[in-house]
Amino acid sequence: MTVRIILFVLLVISLVRVLRYAWPVRSLSFVEARDVRELADQSLDMKMLDVRDAVDYEKNNIRGSINISLGRLAYVWQHCLSPGDSVLILADSYYKRNKAARILNKQGFRKLYAVNGDFLGNKRTLSDISVKGCCEG
């Protein structure tokens, strides 16, 4: 009987964790790559945040993007971002996009965006967009 209760509790905890990561983040909006230019023109303070590991970022990145890996984001976001910025999150998975959005949302960011689909497939379109870098005011 005790083993069943423990297994049930573990199952419920696992289910809650999975649902939490799959549940949408309120302040995160998804945009098509072709619409990012218009969004950047409307928002003078837009920054592109690439949350992949530094090794992956160095291999292939979007010009003008800021790289802060997901594991470091909660600790160093204030070096390049402020809660008033519009942030386009670039990630290689749905999980990482949501996780980054949750971290930034918790810090007060309300204008969060992510590209639908594979952002590297739209590298040319995204590289042509004028965005602020890490230390630009």
Side-chain angles (χ1 to χ4, degrees):
M1 185 69 167
T2 306
V3 173
R4 283 187 177 177
I5 293 172
I6 292 172
L7 287 175
F8 178 75
V9 169
L10 289 175
L11 179 66
V12 168
I13 290 171
S14 299
L15 185 60
V16 167
R17 286 190 78 182
V18 167
L19 288 176
R20 181 171 181 256
Y21 292 122
W23 202 263
V25 180
R26 254 187 222 139
S27 58
L28 179 64
S29 301
F30 291 93
V31 295
E32 297 298 326
R34 65 179 179 274
D35 299 330
V36 173
R37 180 184 306 277
E38 182 180 324
L39 182 66
D41 289 344
Q42 292 173 2
S43 177
L44 301 175
D45 54 1
M46 176 172 258
K47 295 184 179 177
M48 284 194 273
L49 173 65
D50 191 327
V51 295
R52 296 177 300 149
D53 290 333
V55 173
D56 295 330
Y57 178 80
E58 289 299 322
K59 285 181 186 175
N60 198 3
N61 62 65
I62 305 295
R63 186 174 45 89
S65 64
I66 301 163
N67 178 241
I68 304 175
S69 63
L70 191 57
R72 297 179 58 230
L73 184 59
Y75 307 103
V76 299
W77 64 267
Q78 64 274 16
H79 294 292
C80 296
L81 304 171
S82 68
D85 294 336
S86 294
V87 179
L88 179 66
I89 299 170
L90 305 174
D92 53 3
S93 74
Y94 180 80
Y95 163 77
K96 288 180 182 179
R97 275 193 308 235
N98 270 5
K99 180 76 172 170
R102 286 186 202 296
I103 290 169
L104 294 175
N105 186 47
K106 189 175 181 180
Q107 299 302 328
F109 288 80
R110 297 298 176 253
K111 296 180 281 185
L112 299 172
Y113 304 92
V115 175
N116 271 331
D118 178 26
F119 74 91
L120 288 173
N122 296 295
K123 183 176 180 176
R124 178 175 293 194
T125 304
L126 295 174
S127 290
D128 290 341
I129 296 169
S130 176
V131 294
K132 291 186 175 185
C134 188
C135 298
E136 297 176 35

